[in-house]
Amino acid sequence: MAKRSIPNRVKTQVAKIIERFNQEVGSEFEVKYVPRYWENYLYLGRIDFMGNQHRICRLTYTGDLNSWKLAIYNYNDNRYHSYEWINSGLGQLDGTVEGAMEVGLEAYPP
């Protein structure tokens, strides 16, 4: 079964969400989230104040802009692990892109 690609209209909305988050929250920590897409995945990386990019998480598109599935990047084994599996006291994810970026700040503090 072929994976569903993320529609361009959703990518446009995601770009606005990330831009707003970067301006309102990211600037406080001197970081900037950047998106990358592949099939039904949205990969969120983060650029630190030195200009280095780090993998943070992968979101799986479910067909609803407010109901993404989150996987956090694990640098120990270079893989993404489901949020439910790796959650060890991190904030609660609400299924949104903003929520994933907030969890990313907790999982990998700037």
Side-chain angles (χ1 to χ4, degrees), residues 86-101:
I86 202 166
N87 183 5
S88 58
L90 297 176
Q92 294 301 311
L93 181 66
D94 61 4
T96 65
V97 174
E98 296 96 330
M101 290 186 287

Side-chain angles (χ1 to χ4, degrees), residues 4 6 15 22 24-25 27 32 40 55 62 64 66 89 107 110:
R4 160 196 249 158
I6 300 172
N22 285 339
E24 295 174 3
V25 179
S27 61
K32 177 182 175 182
N40 65 330
R55 295 177 184 177
T62 64
D64 180 351
N66 295 308

Side-chain angles (χ1 to χ4, degrees), residues 38-56:
W38 185 70
E39 293 183 348
N40 65 330
Y41 297 119
L42 161 59
Y43 292 88
L44 289 175
R46 197 171 65 211
I47 299 173
D48 65 21
F49 69 97
M50 300 276 299
N52 301 309
Q53 186 167 339
H54 307 277
R55 295 177 184 177
I56 301 297

Side-chain angles (χ1 to χ4, degrees), residues 58-76:
R58 179 187 70 205
L59 297 166
T60 304
Y61 183 61
T62 64
D64 180 351
L65 183 63
N66 295 308
S67 185
W68 298 80
K69 292 183 182 177
L70 175 68
I72 298 284
Y73 189 75
N74 184 325
Y75 281 89
N76 292 332

